[in-house]
Amino acid sequence: MTDPVEPMVAVQGLTRTYGSGAAAVTALHDVSFDVAPGEMVAVVGRSGSGKTTLLNLLGGLDRPDTGSVRIAGHEVTTLDDEGLSRLRRDSVAYMFQTFGLIPALTAAENVGVPLRLRRTPVAERDRRVELLLDLVGLRDHAHQRPGELSGGQQQRVAIARALAGSPRLLLADEPTGQLDTETGLSVMSLLRAVVESEGVTAVVATHDALLMSLADRVLAISDGRVTG
Amino acid sequence: MRRPQGIHLPTLTGRARSDWAVLLLMGLVAMLTVALTAAVAPATERAADRAIAAAVADAGPRGAVVATLPEWYDDPRGKTRDPSTAVQVRQDTDYAFSAMPPELARVLRPGVTSVTTPALQLLDAGTGRFLQLAYVDTAGAPPAVTWAEGGAPRASTDVGDGTSGDEPWPVQVAVSQEVADALGVRVGDRLPAKDEFGRTLTIEVSGTFVPVDEGDAAWQVSPRMLQPVVGTADGLPFSSGAALVSAESLPDLRFALPGDDLTRHVVFTPEPSRVRWRQAEVLERSIVSLQSSAALASGEISWDSQLGSVLQQGRAQVASARGQAQVLVVGLVSCALLVLVLGAQLLVVRRESTLSMVRQRGASLPGIALELVVEALPVAGVATLLGLGAARVLGGSGGWGWSVAVLLVASTAPALLGAAAAARVGDARRAPANRIARRAAARSRRLRRLALEGAVLAAAVLSYTALQQRGVVEPDSPGGDVTASSAPVWWAVVGAVVLLRLLPPLLTWALGLARRSTGSVAFVATARLLQTATRVLPVVVTVVAMAGITLGLALTGTVRQGQADGALSAVGGDARIDAEPDDGLLDLAHDLEDATGVRAAAAGRVEEGVRVSSARGVEVVRLVVVDSAAYERLLLASDLAEAPGLGRLRSPAAGPAPALVRGGDARLVGDLDVTWEEADVPLTVVGTAPDVGAPARAVVVVDAEAFAVAGGVAPPNTVWAVGPGSSAAVAAAAPEVPESSVATYADELRTRRDAPLPSVLVALALVSSAVLLALAILAAVLAAVVGAPARAAALGRLRALGLPTRDVWRLLVVELALPVAVAAIAGSAVGAAGAHAVLGSLSLELVTGQPGTPSLVVPWWSGLAVLVLLAAVVVVAALELRSVLRRPLGEVLRA
C-alpha cells in the first residue's frame, strides 16, 4: 500500500541524451519534480522541448541516461522488459495523439483490450467496458468501429481504454493534437472529469495554452529543463 | 546534353542510394528471371535436336531412305556381258542422290548400293540349301573384310563380253566364315544353283572372309551374309545364307541372271547428328514430295522411307515438351513480375512521405513518374543485360521476349505506383467527410474490384478454353501458345481472388469465436489479421508461386512415375529374355521362379504381325500365347496391370481357345480365326487383355494349352520375371539360351529417364519450382518489410498498454505466418487441381512413352515447400521481433 504522503510520481535528476559526439542532443537535462496522487499536471512546452521524452521515461517506454523515476514508490528505470510490461498493464496507462485504436474492433472491444491483457473475466470485463463507455458518453456507439467515429469520439474511446485497467497514473501525449480546438477542449474536460471520478493521477503533455487551465498544475519545460 | 525537364539528379541519386538494397533486390530478381527464361529456349532447342537425333537413331533401318532403281532391261535379241556394269550401278546411285532435295541429301550418309538376287537353291548336294547373292557398294568401295582363305571374287572371263548361249555362266562370290560353315561350302567349290523359275547359274566360291566391322551399314543389305539361318522346314533340314559379289564379278551376275531376278536398291541412312529439330518439318515435306515425284510415275526411281513418320513422331514429342516447358516458364515469369511489383510497392512505401512532399510542392505526376523511371531503368537495364549475358555464358541465349516484359515491369512499376501514391496526396475523395459521399466512394471501390475480378475470371476461362481446345502442343507454332500456357497461372490468380473474398468472413467468424475468450493474443491477432491479411499482392504472389511449385513437382512426379510404369510395361516385368521359340524356355521359367529374389516368372510366345479374322473384318495383331496361370501369378506379383480375365483362358473343353483382346476397334469380337503356321486356329473372345507392353497394334492373349487344343502349337520365345532379384537371375540364365537377349526394367527406366526431352523437362520443372520457392520467400520477406513500420507502431501501442514480449512474438508470428500459410496451402491446392485439369492437355504420354495419359502424381514432398516457406517467415518474424525490441518503445511510437 502506498504511503499517503508519498508522491505518485517522483522524478529525480532525469537526463536523456540522443545520439553521441557532436551530434548528441540532450532532450532532458537534470529534471526533477513530484506529482501528488490524484493530481493532474500539464506538461507544456514547444515542439522539441522534451515533453514526449519526459512522458516516455515516466511510462517506462524509454530509459534515462541518469536519474530515477519512481511510480507509486517503485523505481521504474531499473525494471526489466517484463517488469515494465507489468507496470504498464497494472499501474500506468498511456494515451496517444493518434488514438491508437485497432480499426477492426468496435469501440467496446477496443476499450476491453487492456482488460484482456490482464485476463479479466468476461463478465467483469463487459461490465467495466459498459461503465467506461457510459462515462465517456459513448454508450450508443459501443458497436461502432473507429472508422465510423469522429476524431473526438475516437479520443474518448482512447480515454476509456486508458482507464479500463484502473491505472494509478495516466500519461497523455498531446491527446488533443489531432482535434480541432472545440473538440480538444471537450476531450480535455472529459479527461479532467474522469480523472477525478476514477481518482487517477494524470500527466498530460500539451502545447495548447487553453488546455492548461484544466490542470491542477503546469510544468513548463524548455530545452529539456523544467522552467516553471 | 540537356537534362529532362524536372529531373533533379542529386535527388535522384540520393534516393537511389538510400534504397539501394531494394533496388538491388529488384535487379537480382529481374536478372535471375531474364537469365532463366533466356536459357530455357536454347536448352529446349538443344534437347529437341538431341531428341530428334535419338528418334532417328532409334528408328534404325526404318529411318532409311531407300531408292529402288528401275529393273535392268534385257535385250530380247540376246544379252551380252557388260564389263562396265559396276560403273553403271555407281552412276545410277549418283543419279538417285542428285534426285533428292538438297536439304534431305545433307542429312544422309553416302548411299549403300546393292544388287541382290532372290535366295537361289544350291543343287549340288541335296535340297534345303539356299544362297542369296549380293553386290554391295558404299561410296565406290565394298564392305571392308579380311580374307580368311582365298580372295575377292574376280571376273569369270578375261574376254570383255560373253553370249547368252554360254549358260550356266559362272559367278565368283565370297562368303563369310559363318555362311561357309552353315552351308558346308569351301573355297574353290563350284555350286550349281537355280532360281524359283528354274533359271540356272554356277556359283564359284573365291574366298571366305571375316568382316572388319559387323556394324557397317553395308551388311544390313543382307544380314544373312554374316548370320546364316539354320533350321528345319516341313521336317527337312534347312540352311540359308548370302554371298558377296564384287565389282569384278557383278558383270557375270548381270549376265548370268535375267533383269527380273536382280533387285537394285540404294539405301541412304540418315546421320542422326545432322538432323535438327527445326529442319524436321522441311525434311518431312521433302520425303513426301520425293515419294510422290514424277519420276515414280514414269517408272524410274521409286522411293520409300519411314523417315517422315519418324520425324513426325519426334516433332510431336518435341512440341509436347516445349509446350510443357512453356507452361512452367509462364508461371515463373508471372510470379517474378508480381514480385517485382511487390518490390516497387516497398520502394513507394519507403518514399511515401517524400513523394507527398514533392507533390505538395507542385511537382507534376508525369514529372514524378519520369524521375522514378529514370531511377529504375538503369537498374532494370543492367539486370536484363546481365541476365542475357549469363544465359549466353551458360549455353546460349535464345528467347529474349520475356526479357522485354521483365525490363518493362522492373522499370515502370515503381514509377506507376509512385505516381499513384503521389496522386493520392490531397485527394479529398479518399475519405470524404460527407457520409453519402463516403458510401458512394465505397460503392465505386466495390464496383472497380468486381470489374477486376470479372476480368481475371474471363481471362482464366479464355485461357482454359484455349488449353482444352488447342492444348499446348502446337507443332507449327515454335513460339508456343501463351494463352493456353497461361491457364494454370490464371487459375491460380482466380484461386487467390476467391481466397481474398473468403478471408474477411472467415476472420470475422474467427474474431467472433475469440470475442468471448479472456485472453488477448487470439483476439488481437485476429483483429490485426482482418486489417493486414487481405493485402492483395502478397496473397496473389504466394498463391501463384505455390501453385506453380505444385504444378512443376506434379509434372515431375507424373513424368517419372509414367516413365517407371512405361518401363515396367514395356519389359513386361523386372526382366525379360527374348529368344528363338523353344519349349525349353518353360523349364527356364520354372527354374527362375525358384531363384533368389524372383517373385514370379512365366514363359510365353509373343508374335507380332499375326493375322486374325472375324466376321467383322481382318486385323493384324500381337499374339501372346502364355501359360495363363503362371502369367496371372506374374501380374499379381508385380505392379503391372491387373488381369481378372486370365483365369477364364484355361478352358478344359475342346474347341475354340478362349482369348482376351485389347484394341482392334470393334473387329475383334466373338469368334476369331488366327492364322498360325498356315492354318486357322479358332478363338473366342472372353474378355479384355491386360494392358501390358504398350504395343502399337491390338493384342490377343490365349492360354498355351487351350491354344494347342484348338490346333495351334506355339513354343515360347519370351520369359518374364518379376522381383528384386529378377535382373540378376535372368542375366545368369541368359547365356544358356542360344540367340537370346535380355531386357531389364532398370535399363529400360534408365534409358527413358536419360532421354533428352524428359530429362530437360524434369530439370526445368525442378529448377522452376526451386526458383518459385525462392520468389515466394522473397515475396513474404518484401510483404513483411512493407508492413513492418505499421506493424511496429501497432505492436508498440499494444506494448504501451502492457502487452508482454512473449505475446508480441506470438502476435508477430501469427500475423506474418498465418496469411502466408493459408495462401500457400490454397496455392498448393490450386496447383494440384490445376495439374489435374491440364494434365490431359499437356500430352505427357508423348514424353513418358506410354500409350495413354499418365495418372497424375503429386509427390507428398511437394508439401515441404509450404513448410520451407513458413520456416522462412518465422525467421523473418524473429528478425523483426529483434528489431522491434532493440528500438526503445518511445522511439517506435514517435515514428
Side-chain angles (χ1 to χ4, degrees), chain B residues 182-557:
Chain B
L183 271 70
V185 298
R186 288 181 300 181
V187 175
D189 281 357
R190 289 175 71 88
L191 311 167
K194 65 170 186 180
D195 68 4
E196 59 181 329
F197 300 108
R199 295 178 290 210
T200 58
L201 78 164
T202 298
I203 299 168
E204 186 177 337
V205 180
S206 68
T208 57
F209 64 82
V210 176
V212 172
D213 176 14
E214 287 189 28
D216 189 336
W219 301 115
Q220 294 299 319
V221 168
S222 180
R224 290 188 180 182
M225 277 199 279
L226 303 183
Q227 294 169 341
V229 175
V230 179
T232 55
D234 299 327
L236 297 171
F238 162 90
S239 58
S240 177
L244 192 63
V245 174
S246 67
E248 288 75 22
S249 63
L250 180 62
D252 298 323
L253 178 65
R254 168 76 184 93
F255 182 63
L257 288 175
D260 61 3
D261 255 355
L262 298 171
T263 307
R264 296 192 296 151
H265 288 305
V266 187
V267 178
F268 297 97
T269 311
E271 171 57 53
S273 62
R274 287 186 210 154
V275 183
R276 293 280 180 274
W277 166 70
R278 285 195 183 276
Q279 301 171 333
E281 194 181 352
V282 176
L283 292 177
E284 267 180 66
R285 282 203 298 268
S286 300
I287 291 163
V288 170
S289 72
L290 196 60
Q291 287 177 311
S292 58
S293 64
L296 180 66
S298 64
E300 293 184 13
I301 302 171
S302 69
W303 296 90
D304 186 32
S305 177
Q306 297 293 310
L307 184 59
S309 65
V310 168
L311 292 173
Q312 196 175 29
Q313 286 169 8
R315 280 205 312 129
Q317 287 177 342
V318 170
S320 167
R322 286 172 68 86
Q324 290 144 18
Q326 176 92 318
V327 169
L328 296 171
V329 168
V330 168
L332 185 65
V333 173
S334 307
C335 195
L337 295 182
L338 288 169
V339 170
L340 286 174
V341 176
L342 200 52
Q345 203 175 48
L346 174 59
L347 272 181
V348 171
V349 166
R350 288 168 63 85
R351 296 163 172 189
E352 206 150 21
S353 56
T354 318
L355 291 172
S356 301
M357 193 176 67
V358 170
R359 176 67 173 155
Q360 279 165 343
R361 285 177 181 170
S364 68
L365 292 179
I368 291 173
L370 181 65
E371 248 188 27
L372 292 170
V373 168
V374 169
E375 179 195 12
L377 191 58
V379 178
V382 169
T384 304
L385 288 175
L386 286 174
L388 288 172
R392 183 165 286 280
V393 169
L394 288 173
S397 174
W400 52 268
W402 292 117
S403 310
V404 175
V406 173
L407 177 65
L408 203 65
V409 171
S411 54
T412 59
L416 293 175
L417 293 178
R424 284 196 293 269
V425 176
D427 184 355
R429 287 173 304 172
R430 284 190 69 209
N434 183 318
R435 184 173 294 175
I436 294 172
R438 273 207 303 269
R439 281 182 189 158
R443 193 164 53 245
S444 170
R445 276 198 302 274
R446 277 200 300 275
L447 283 175
R448 274 203 305 272
R449 183 176 173 179
L450 271 175
L452 195 63
E453 289 170 347
V456 167
L457 189 63
V461 170
L462 179 72
S463 60
Y464 187 70
T465 307
L467 183 67
Q468 290 296 311
Q469 288 183 347
R470 303 198 293 264
V472 291
V473 181
E474 282 199 273
D476 299 329
S477 170
D481 183 345
V482 177
T483 309
S485 305
S486 64
V489 172
W490 280 117
W491 281 107
V493 178
V494 168
V497 166
V498 171
L499 182 64
L500 286 165
R501 280 282 178 191
L502 287 177
L503 272 176
L506 282 175
L507 287 169
T508 305
W509 173 74
L511 186 65
L513 291 181
R515 195 166 275 137
R516 301 313 298 168
S517 66
T518 311
S520 59
V521 174
F523 184 71
V524 174
T526 314
R528 289 279 310 152
L529 283 172
L530 260 169
Q531 195 181 342
T532 60
T534 51
R535 289 196 182 113
V536 176
L537 206 49
V539 171
V540 172
V541 177
T542 308
V543 171
V544 169
M546 295 310 292
I549 290 169
T550 309
L551 179 66
L553 296 181
L555 201 67
T556 305

Side-chain angles (χ1 to χ4, degrees), chain B residues 51-74:
Chain B
I52 289 288
V56 171
D58 290 346
R62 218 161 55 87
V65 178
V66 180
T68 302
L69 301 174
E71 193 178 285
W72 262 321
Y73 173 73
D74 289 333

Side-chain angles (χ1 to χ4, degrees), chain B residues 56-210:
Chain B
V56 171
D58 290 346
R62 218 161 55 87
V65 178
V66 180
T68 302
L69 301 174
E71 193 178 285
W72 262 321
Y73 173 73
D74 289 333
D75 191 338
R77 293 169 297 179
K79 278 169 61 178
T80 54
R81 181 179 180 277
D82 183 356
S84 64
T85 305
V87 175
Q88 285 176 25
V89 168
R90 237 167 262 150
Q91 286 171 344
D92 288 345
T93 301
D94 292 343
Y95 174 69
F97 189 74
S98 67
M100 272 194 286
E103 60 274 9
L104 180 60
R106 268 196 294 273
V107 303
L108 297 176
R109 291 172 179 151
V112 176
T113 308
S114 65
V115 179
T116 54
T117 69
L120 305 169
Q121 189 179 356
L122 301 183
L123 304 171
D124 63 324
T127 58
R129 293 192 308 156
F130 295 87
L131 192 64
Q132 182 190 34
L133 308 187
Y135 166 74
V136 185
D137 173 283
T138 308
V145 297
T146 53
W147 296 102
E149 192 182 351
R154 303 175 67 83
S156 295
T157 176
D158 295 334
V159 181
D161 55 5
T163 64
S164 56
D166 295 333
E167 296 176 28
W169 190 264
V171 180
Q172 286 199 13
V173 299
V175 292
S176 69
Q177 200 65 54
E178 288 80 3
V179 171
D181 294 343
L183 271 70
V185 298
R186 288 181 300 181
V187 175
D189 281 357
R190 289 175 71 88
L191 311 167
K194 65 170 186 180
D195 68 4
E196 59 181 329
F197 300 108
R199 295 178 290 210
T200 58
L201 78 164
T202 298
I203 299 168
E204 186 177 337
V205 180
S206 68
T208 57
F209 64 82
V210 176

